[in-house]
Amino acid sequence: METVSQLQSVLCDESANLALRFRALFSLKHFGVNGDLTAIDAIAAAFPSESALLKHELAYCLGQTKNPHAIKPLRDRLEDPNEAAICRHESAEALAAIGGADSLPLLRKYLDDKEESVRQTCELAIAKIEYDLSGKGVTEDLQKSAFASIDPAPPLPSSVKSIADLQTAMNDQSLTLFDRYRAMFRLRDIGTPDAIDALASGFADPSALFRHEIAFIFGQMSDPHSKDVLMKVLADTKEDGMVRHEAAEALGSIGLPEIDEELKKYVNDPEKLVRDSAIVALDMSEFEKSGDFEYALVPEKAKA
Ligand SMILES: [Fe+2]
Ligand SMILES: [Fe+2]
């Protein structure tokens, strides 16, 4: 299909503007989610890229297609010890998004990986696949989420309403990460300013993976109420690059002129992950303000 090959050329062009490549990627994801296998191959074709940011996003998008066709390239990323941890983490998470017992042995293999983010993602991924296989998702009363994403864990049931209790459970390090994420996603779905404040308390957690998920959720919510804490996270040069990256993109999703001014300070950040994120975030913010329907490059004829 001509459109897919055009998008693939943009996505794989290492000299092209990163923001443009992200837009091409999101268009391909759109086709991939609708079952277009050539779009999935086109996304996987960009893995030789030098940009860890782009590669982790490729993995994320492959997972969101929920298509078993994407399993092979994701396994290859997870199994490559020279691959950036952020990309291996996202590949493990994507395997869980696609699901299926077949991925369990591979995920178990990395439960003692040298990278904490990979170990913890594999722990979560195994718990998610086991949860899905258990059929609990059908019997539990889960609020229908306002977000279309396939998440690393389902929210806690909608009967759990106390923000204080959810905050306590989310931050309780004696619970499994999977249960703590369930509290986190329940808070996201509640979505009030109090729920956002409760989520923000998670930035004190020792796990960078956990903190990056809070920032990711704030990006999904795109609520200006989270902007001050996100700016603080982004400004903290001692914070993990994965977390600062997610904070930058979350700020881009909120899309306010005063945030743009802040983001512009990071386009030359010493950490590549952060500068690349600032570039993409500014483009996302541009899109938010444009009122366009979808953040993607889908040509007009394909949109119809
Ligand atoms: Fe991630
Ligand atoms: Fe990310």
Side-chain angles (χ1 to χ4, degrees):
M1 184 174 167
E2 197 190 359
T3 307
V4 166
S5 66
Q6 285 167 347
L7 291 167
Q8 181 177 338
S9 319
V10 176
L11 177 65
C12 294
D13 181 356
E14 288 282 282
S15 66
N17 175 290
L18 193 61
L20 192 69
R21 298 174 76 189
F22 264 68
R23 287 197 180 216
L25 171 58
F26 288 117
S27 297
L28 286 167
K29 177 179 117 181
H30 173 85
F31 290 123
V33 166
N34 289 311
D36 184 335
L37 301 188
T38 63
I40 292 174
D41 291 338
I43 294 172
F47 272 128
S49 172
E50 293 282 305
S51 166
L53 183 76
L54 180 76
K55 286 197 287 188
H56 103 296
E57 204 66 41
L58 300 175
Y60 177 77
C61 290
L62 287 176
Q64 295 296 305
T65 68
K66 222 179 175 337
N67 196 312
H69 189 68
I71 289 176
K72 169 81 171 70
L74 290 169
R75 292 179 72 113
D76 290 347
R77 300 302 8 112
L78 176 58
E79 291 195 278
D80 182 352
N82 298 318
E83 186 55 86
I86 189 171
C87 184
R88 294 181 62 226
H89 133 69
E90 214 64 61
S91 299
E93 188 175 297
L95 287 169
I98 296 169
D102 290 353
S103 290
L104 289 172
L106 184 72
L107 292 165
R108 288 194 186 111
K109 200 170 134 190
Y110 295 103
L111 278 173
D112 58 356
D113 194 83
K114 64 181 191 325
E115 294 287 346
E116 182 186 74
S117 62
V118 174
R119 291 197 297 274
Q120 292 183 335
T121 304
C122 288
E123 178 191 328
L124 277 163
I126 291 164
K128 178 184 186 306
I129 291 175
E130 287 175 345
Y131 173 90
D132 289 343
L133 292 173
S134 76
K136 275 198 200 122
V138 185
T139 53
E140 284 191 325
D141 176 24
L142 306 183
Q143 179 187 319
K144 176 134 179 42
S145 174
F147 305 94
S149 54
I150 305 167
D151 302 316
L156 283 170
S158 49
S159 55
V160 188
K161 289 190 168 65
S162 157
I163 288 174
D165 289 353
L166 285 163
Q167 179 175 341
T168 303
M170 180 185 84
N171 290 323
D172 184 347
Q173 291 177 46
S174 71
L175 299 178
T176 63
L177 258 184
F178 185 72
D179 284 334
R180 297 177 64 200
Y181 268 49
R182 293 198 69 182
M184 192 194 287
F185 283 101
R186 177 73 188 123
L187 284 167
R188 175 195 69 180
D189 290 348
I190 290 174
T192 58
D194 284 350
I196 290 174
D197 293 341
L199 282 165
S201 71
F203 281 127
D205 195 80
S207 158
L209 184 80
F210 188 92
R211 298 194 301 276
H212 109 296
E213 199 66 32
I214 302 273
F216 177 82
I217 282 178
F218 282 165
Q220 288 191 304
M221 298 171 86
S222 303
D223 189 319
H225 189 74
S226 67
K227 85 175 173 359
D228 291 344
V229 71
L230 287 169
M231 283 194 198
K232 212 171 118 207
V233 169
L234 177 57
D236 181 1
T237 52
K238 289 195 210 67
E239 176 54 283
D240 192 285
M242 180 167 75
V243 186
R244 293 178 71 212
H245 132 68
E246 219 62 74
E249 289 193 5
L251 285 164
S253 305
I254 297 172
L256 289 172
E258 72 257 36
I259 292 179
D260 289 358
E261 289 315 304
E262 191 66 20
L263 283 171
K264 281 178 194 156
K265 294 182 194 161
Y266 297 94
V267 294
N268 294 311
D269 195 90
E271 183 146 7
K272 183 164 164 44
L273 204 52
V274 175
R275 2 181 235 284
D276 282 356
S277 301
I279 292 165
V280 171
L282 281 163
D283 186 56
M284 287 161 72
S285 173
E286 197 53 48
F287 157 79
E288 287 299 331
K289 282 175 277 160
S290 73
D292 281 350
F293 176 63
E294 189 170 17
Y295 181 69
L297 266 181
V298 180
E300 285 311 314
K301 62 174 181 183
K303 259 187 190 168

